């Protein structure tokens, strides 16, 4: 019998078998643009390919700085964001934004910006919740919240990478104050949503802590500075009776034992191209962590190689539940609609219990 996405993913978190392995992927914008041109049209890619339905509840915990367009050409667009960064995004290729400038450069800058990070009714899209929530429950979707707090949002959208890494050594107190302010505003808003009667299944937050073969900071520094922020998120989720799920790109293998000991429930994306061996993580932590991802995005345009990888690795990853299929980050734009369709078909075949 076909399960709903909520039932299927819930079984995976319980480390039990379901009807099949769940499948949820996040392609780059350039990828979905290609698929639209190749026959998907304006359809939602989740529905078009029959992926699992994961719906998100958001709340704006940014300082709400002015969002403006600085410059726009056929090739790129430069904008300011609500976190105070000026960024350049390329229009015709999938890439991370280039940070040009930031507002928060000193503790004094932060003290001024911090004044803007206060609760407000309009930080939540209450009308969108009222309309969509009953539809999500009716369709059996897995519902998650999305959190913006910690190292990733601070270095990538607020302070800048080099500056943040230096300050973690020279003046960590004000960086930790940024993180605490971010998470407390975020969780306070989600408390309001919960108290209004809206229920979610998972607390999700991205906090990229690694790159290829390395981490941005030491395990000692993680334990002293950032770990308490992550523990706060996990404890908050568990107090609500829901799951805690971390997205952290790069090679974060040294941190995984701590994350497991903290009670983290789910981990993504298991970035193979950065050095993470998903099968090894499954062997060591598969009875404790729900794993999502791990299939090298660099292979996806070679469908024969991808099918071989799925047929060899997925039977191991799906053992005793605890796994959801995806790339090790996002589907790149060199993957055609038909190539992706074939991969989905193979996953649904091999991933059946």
């Amino acid at each position: 019998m076909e399960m709903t996405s909520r039932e299927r993913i819930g079984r995976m978190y319980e480390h039990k078998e379901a009807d099949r392995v769940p499948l949820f992927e996040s392609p780059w914008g350039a990828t979905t643009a290609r698929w639209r041109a190749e026959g998907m049209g304006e359809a939602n890619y989740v529905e078009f390919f029959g992926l699992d339905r994961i719906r998100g509840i958001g709340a704006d915990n940014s300082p709400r700085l002015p969002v403006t367009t600085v410059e726009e050409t056929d090739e790129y667009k430069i904008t300011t964001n609500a976190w105070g960064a000026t960024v350049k995004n390329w229009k015709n290729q999938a890439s991370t934004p280039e940070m040009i400038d930031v507002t928060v450069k000193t503790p004094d800058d932060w003290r001024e910006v911090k004044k803007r990070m206060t609760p407000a009714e309009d930080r939540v899209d209450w009308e969108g919740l009222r309309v969509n929530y009953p539809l999500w429950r009716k369709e059996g979707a897995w519902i998650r919240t999305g959190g913006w707090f910690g190292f990733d949002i601070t270095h990538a959208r607020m302070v800048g990478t080099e500056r943040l890494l230096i300050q973690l050594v020279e003046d960590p107190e004000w960086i930790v104050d940024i993180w605490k302010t971010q998470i407390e505003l975020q969780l306070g808003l989600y408390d309001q949503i919960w108290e209004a009667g809206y229920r979610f299944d998972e607390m999700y937050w991205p906090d990229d802590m690694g790159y290829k073969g390395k981490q941005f900071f030491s395990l000692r520094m993680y334990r002293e500075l950032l770990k308490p922020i992550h523990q706060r998120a996990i404890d908050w989720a568990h107090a609500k009776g829901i799951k805690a799920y971390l997205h952290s790109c790069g090679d974060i293998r040294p941190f995984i034992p701590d994350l497991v000991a903290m009670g983290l429930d789910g981990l993504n994306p298991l970035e193979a191209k950065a050095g993470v061996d998903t099968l090894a993580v499954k062997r060591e932590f598969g009875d404790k962590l729900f794993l999502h991802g791990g299939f090298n995005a660099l292979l996806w345009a070679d469908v024969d190689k991808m099918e071989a990888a799925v047929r060899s690795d997925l039977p191991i990853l799906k053992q005793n539940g605890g796994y959801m299929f995806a790339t090790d980050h996002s589907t790149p734009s060199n993957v055609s609609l038909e190539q992706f369709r074939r991969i989905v078909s193979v996953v649904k075949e091999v991933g059946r219990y």
Side-chain angles (χ1 to χ4, degrees):
M1 180 178 177
E2 186 82 2
M3 291 182 170
T4 66
S5 294
R6 189 176 188 221
E7 293 168 336
R8 187 176 296 120
I9 296 171
R11 294 282 292 182
M12 293 296 106
Y13 265 116
E14 294 170 2
H15 300 278
K16 297 177 181 178
E17 295 183 354
D19 56 343
R20 63 165 174 82
V21 166
L23 198 170
F24 184 78
E25 177 61 8
S26 301
W28 292 105
T31 310
T32 53
R34 173 179 180 167
W35 292 346
R36 285 194 293 272
E38 292 177 342
M40 187 173 74
E42 296 305 311
N44 179 284
Y45 75 90
V46 171
E47 305 301 327
F48 185 84
F49 292 108
L51 309 186
D52 280 277
R53 295 184 174 110
I54 298 180
R55 310 303 187 194
I57 293 176
D60 179 8
N61 70 325
S62 77
R64 303 175 121 182
L65 291 163
V67 177
T68 61
T69 297
V70 177
E71 181 183 354
E72 184 170 6
T73 72
D74 292 339
E75 298 295 324
Y76 62 83
K77 186 175 183 179
I78 299 176
T79 58
T80 60
N81 65 28
W83 294 88
T86 302
V87 295
K88 182 178 184 178
N89 279 285
W90 297 95
K91 292 183 175 181
N92 303 314
Q93 54 186 304
S95 67
T96 54
E98 175 189 351
M99 183 179 284
I100 297 172
D101 197 9
V102 295
T103 300
V104 178
K105 298 178 181 178
T106 68
D108 287 340
D109 294 335
W110 163 241
R111 279 187 281 272
E112 288 303 308
V113 168
K114 183 178 179 180
K115 296 174 184 178
R116 306 174 66 96
M117 296 181 69
T118 55
E121 190 75 10
D122 64 350
R123 286 182 177 271
V124 176
D125 180 7
W126 294 106
E127 179 60 17
L129 270 175
R130 185 190 68 78
V131 172
N132 291 312
Y133 181 82
L135 302 177
W136 296 340
R137 282 302 182 212
K138 185 177 180 180
E139 71 181 4
W142 181 261
I143 301 178
R144 60 167 43 157
T145 63
W148 283 109
F149 47 82
F151 174 79
D152 185 40
I153 184 66
T154 307
H155 90 89
R157 299 199 183 190
M158 195 173 192
V159 173
T161 306
E162 182 177 355
R163 181 178 294 105
L164 178 54
L165 290 173
I166 291 171
Q167 294 307 312
L168 285 175
V169 176
E170 295 186 350
D171 191 3
E173 289 80 8
W174 79 275
I175 300 301
V176 172
D177 187 55
I178 293 175
W179 295 346
K180 287 181 177 179
T181 303
Q182 290 167 348
I183 192 172
E184 293 307 325
L185 177 55
Q186 188 84 87
L187 297 184
L189 294 169
Y190 287 140
D191 279 331
Q192 292 180 31
I193 293 170
W194 189 273
E195 290 162 7
Y198 297 102
R199 296 292 180 261
F200 27 91
D201 305 303
E202 174 187 279
M203 171 65 179
Y204 157 90
W205 77 98
D207 205 353
D208 296 346
M209 297 182 288
Y211 51 101
K212 189 172 183 178
K214 296 290 183 180
Q215 302 77 49
F216 281 104
F217 35 78
S218 68
L219 180 57
R220 178 187 62 81
M221 183 172 282
Y222 173 71
R223 288 171 172 167
E224 291 179 1
L225 303 179
L226 185 54
K227 183 175 178 177
I229 304 299
H230 290 174
Q231 188 70 69
R232 172 79 172 102
I234 293 167
D235 292 345
W236 181 89
H238 290 172
K240 294 282 192 288
I242 64 174
K243 303 301 183 182
Y245 169 115
L246 170 65
H247 166 99
S248 189
C249 291
D251 183 358
I252 62 162
R253 287 175 294 175
F255 301 150
I256 294 178
D258 280 59
L259 293 167
V260 171
M262 292 157 66
L264 184 73
D265 300 295
L267 183 63
N268 164 268
L270 308 163
E271 195 167 358
K273 58 186 177 292
V276 178
D277 183 337
T278 307
L279 294 181
V281 176
K282 173 71 175 183
R283 285 193 294 270
E284 188 169 358
F285 303 107
D287 61 335
K288 302 177 182 68
L289 279 177
F290 163 78
L291 304 176
H292 178 202
F295 280 84
N296 193 332
L298 298 178
L299 298 179
W300 280 55
D302 188 328
V303 181
D304 291 336
K305 285 185 178 179
M306 262 306 301
E307 179 169 346
V310 170
R311 292 192 182 280
S312 66
D313 294 357
L314 188 54
I316 300 170
L317 292 168
K318 77 176 188 179
Q319 289 176 8
N320 303 313
Y323 180 73
M324 180 157 60
F325 181 86
T327 63
D328 62 345
H329 192 284
S330 301
T331 309
S333 56
N334 63 346
V335 178
S336 72
L337 182 145
E338 288 306 319
Q339 288 171 323
F340 191 80
R341 195 199 305 270
R342 178 175 160 191
I343 293 168
V344 170
S345 176
V346 173
V347 170
K348 288 185 176 181
E349 173 201 336
V350 178
R352 191 155 293 279
Y353 288 99

